[in-house]
Amino acid sequence: MKPTILDCTKAELCAAITPSFRAKQIFQWIYSQYVDDFDAMKNLPQTMRTTLQERYDIMPLHILNKEVSSDGTIKYLFALRDGKTVESVLLRMKEAQYDSNGELLHHAKYTVCVSTQVGCKVGCSFCLTAKGGFTRDLCAGEIVAQVLALKKDNNIAAERRLNIVYMGMGEPLDNLENLAKAITIFSDEDGLAISTKRQTVSTSGLSSRIDQLGAMNLGVHIAISLHAVDDTLRSELIPMNKAHNIASIIEAVKRFPIDTRKRVMFEYLMIKGKNDDRSSAKKLVKLLHGIKAKVNLIYFNPYEGSTYERPSKASMVAFQEYLIAHGLLCTIRDSKGMDISAACGQLKEKTDQEMR
Ligand code: SAH
Ligand code: SF4
């Protein structure tokens, strides 16, 4: 199988071809014109097009399934070249708005949620992705391709900026090298030009890797999937908490280079009867003391066979109000795409079943 050219940073492409200024043109064809055939790159000499064709593929995935939610969220299932599948979600954060004359006031705002692995090794007890175990890491090109494919499929103009959250399938920090490369390719000004400030890496808390990501000084944000305030419950939810406990994560977060205007996001998955009580809220306030934090409460999203239950809206709101009253910023993640297979891993599971 030929490597995908999406796996190349511009610097790598410059080094691989002569003359190197052609790399910029190739990037523009792929990321601005959404061209998926080297032969269509008309300003390249024919010999170069042929060489590229011999050496590389462009798109390493295709759309296998797609579900559109009534709120505009679109969930994709992609097939990779080895037949493995991963999910991505396009979230419409704000609709485009027009004035009474039909003039555009502002464009729609998008966030893309991308996967970094096929499956996941972490094995969280509430997560459907974990049930299928771990298959393999995605290469950088396969991470980049998800955003490119979504932009193309939705006719999103090249110059429209969007946000990326690494919150799809897999643990991004368990695939750090390819993640870092994808971050770099995404932010290339001749490519998708998605500034690292618009990219958020969500992690279940591999504390030593949080340090490694910080040391790379990429300028990305981090989101910590905290979910529990004591190590006993956290280890039940996220088994590797035994090796990377809450204290070690908090310490790593304190060392992480953060833009002074920004906050570290702590995700807190609310599970009925497990972590949705007042005493957990109290402990959370204490735990995050001294950190510029923002808490995002997430409703547990049940799936067939899951043992946990979705919390009531009242308990979510009471939890949120307690945190806010004690000085924390706190939002409740609106359950975008609730009518489609919204939680991590659910579209893959459904499609796999249908194909069986
Ligand atoms: N592995 C990383 C990123 C991918 S998981 C991490 O764990 O942070 C992305 C998010 O989906 C996590 O915050 C996780 O808690 C959430 N998630 C997983 N299963 C869920 C479910 N059943 N309901 C709601 N959120 C879920
Ligand atoms: Fe992996 Fe994240 Fe799912 Fe845990 S929640 S199993 S870390 S994808």
Side-chain angles (χ1 to χ4, degrees):
M1 210 187 316
K2 287 180 272 185
T4 161
I5 199 165
L6 304 188
D7 208 44
C8 297
T9 61
K10 201 164 71 233
E12 284 175 341
L13 200 55
C14 280
I17 58 173
T18 27
S20 59
F21 74 87
R22 296 286 185 195
K24 184 175 169 143
Q25 291 173 321
I26 297 167
F27 256 54
Q28 287 166 345
W29 279 115
I30 294 174
Y31 297 108
S32 299
Q33 308 293 325
Y34 305 149
V35 157
D36 53 12
D37 178 2
F38 290 111
D39 223 29
M41 301 182 178
K42 297 295 179 206
N43 56 358
L44 301 187
Q46 184 59 54
T47 47
M48 180 171 270
R49 283 186 251 162
T50 312
T51 312
L52 289 169
Q53 205 104 47
E54 283 163 5
R55 277 203 224 159
Y56 301 105
D57 277 345
I58 300 184
M59 260 300 176
L61 44 76
H62 66 268
I63 299 168
L64 199 61
N65 199 350
K66 181 169 147 179
E67 286 187 354
V68 184
S69 162
S70 51
D71 64 15
T73 303
I74 311 180
K75 184 147 192 166
Y76 286 83
L77 186 71
F78 291 114
L80 304 164
R81 292 181 299 171
D82 60 0
K84 307 285 182 246
T85 54
V86 287
E87 295 177 2
S88 316
V89 185
L90 179 71
L91 298 141
R92 216 172 296 245
M93 309 308 278
K94 233 183 202 170
E95 293 300 328
Q97 252 194 352
Y98 300 88
D99 67 12
S100 50
N101 299 321
E103 292 287 328
L104 184 70
L105 290 173
H106 67 76
H107 290 280
K109 284 208 167 120
Y110 298 101
T111 294
V112 183
C113 173
V114 297
S115 292
T116 52
Q117 296 178 317
V118 180
C120 185
K121 285 179 211 159
V122 180
C124 300
S125 57
F126 53 82
C127 173
L128 193 53
T129 298
K131 302 280 174 277
F134 174 76
T135 306
R136 71 168 174 90
D137 285 331
L138 296 188
C139 67
E142 289 169 325
I143 300 173
V144 170
Q146 298 169 50
V147 177
L148 186 58
L150 290 195
K151 278 189 94 172
K152 191 172 177 182
D153 192 51
N154 291 281
N155 295 315
I156 299 175
E159 66 277 11
R160 286 267 66 72
R161 299 288 173 259
L162 39 76
N163 300 318
I164 296 177
V165 290
Y166 297 90
M167 283 186 194
M169 304 170 73
E171 167 51 50
L173 297 189
D174 186 37
N175 187 13
L176 185 55
E177 203 178 310
N178 293 330
L179 170 79
K181 197 171 176 190
I183 291 170
T184 306
I185 298 171
F186 277 134
S187 63
D188 194 298
E189 277 304 319
D190 294 314
L192 290 166
I194 302 165
S195 146
T196 56
K197 291 196 183 81
R198 293 177 172 276
Q199 302 186 45
T200 303
V201 175
S202 173
T203 177
S204 54
L206 291 156
S207 39
S208 50
R209 297 285 174 89
I210 295 174
D211 282 334
Q212 285 177 28
L213 179 69
M216 290 175 177
N217 261 315
L218 296 168
V220 287
H221 298 299
I222 45 166
I224 306 291
S225 288
L226 192 63
H227 308 335
V229 286
D230 66 80
D231 282 315
T232 312
L233 176 61
R234 196 163 192 278
S235 301
E236 176 194 321
L237 300 176
I238 309 173
M240 66 136 194
N241 186 67
K242 293 191 187 86
H244 302 268
N245 65 11
I246 297 177
S248 76
I249 296 169
I250 297 293
E251 287 311 309
V253 166
K254 287 182 177 163
R255 290 189 291 266
F256 194 84
I258 295 158
D259 183 330
T260 47
R261 287 158 301 175
K262 297 285 178 175
R263 289 167 185 275
V264 178
M265 160 99 82
F266 286 86
E267 292 163 284
Y268 192 90
L269 182 75
M270 294 270 278
I271 303 173
K272 188 176 176 179
K274 282 277 182 193
N275 61 0
D276 58 347
D277 57 322
R278 173 61 59 94
S279 104
S280 300
K282 239 183 206 168
K283 284 189 194 153
L284 187 55
V285 170
K286 236 176 146 178
L287 196 63
L288 300 184
H289 183 76
I291 298 179
K292 265 185 94 182
K294 178 183 164 180
V295 177
N296 194 17
L297 302 178
I298 309 167
Y299 282 96
F300 170 68
N301 202 351
Y303 49 88
E304 214 184 294
S306 61
T307 45
Y308 300 126
E309 285 176 66
R310 192 181 155 87
S312 67
K313 189 172 178 195
S315 67
M316 287 286 266
V317 171
F319 203 98
Q320 181 192 31
E321 283 173 352
Y322 184 89
L323 297 191
I324 292 174
H326 290 80
L328 276 169
L329 275 187
C330 177
T331 48
I332 295 179
R333 186 187 286 176
D334 59 347
S335 308
K336 281 193 181 295
M338 272 305 289
D339 55 333
I340 58 174
S341 315
C344 180
Q346 294 186 1
L347 180 61
K348 176 178 166 67
E349 177 68 14
K350 196 165 127 186
T351 309
D352 285 354
Q353 273 174 11
E354 281 162 5
M355 283 177 4
R356 259 176 227 143

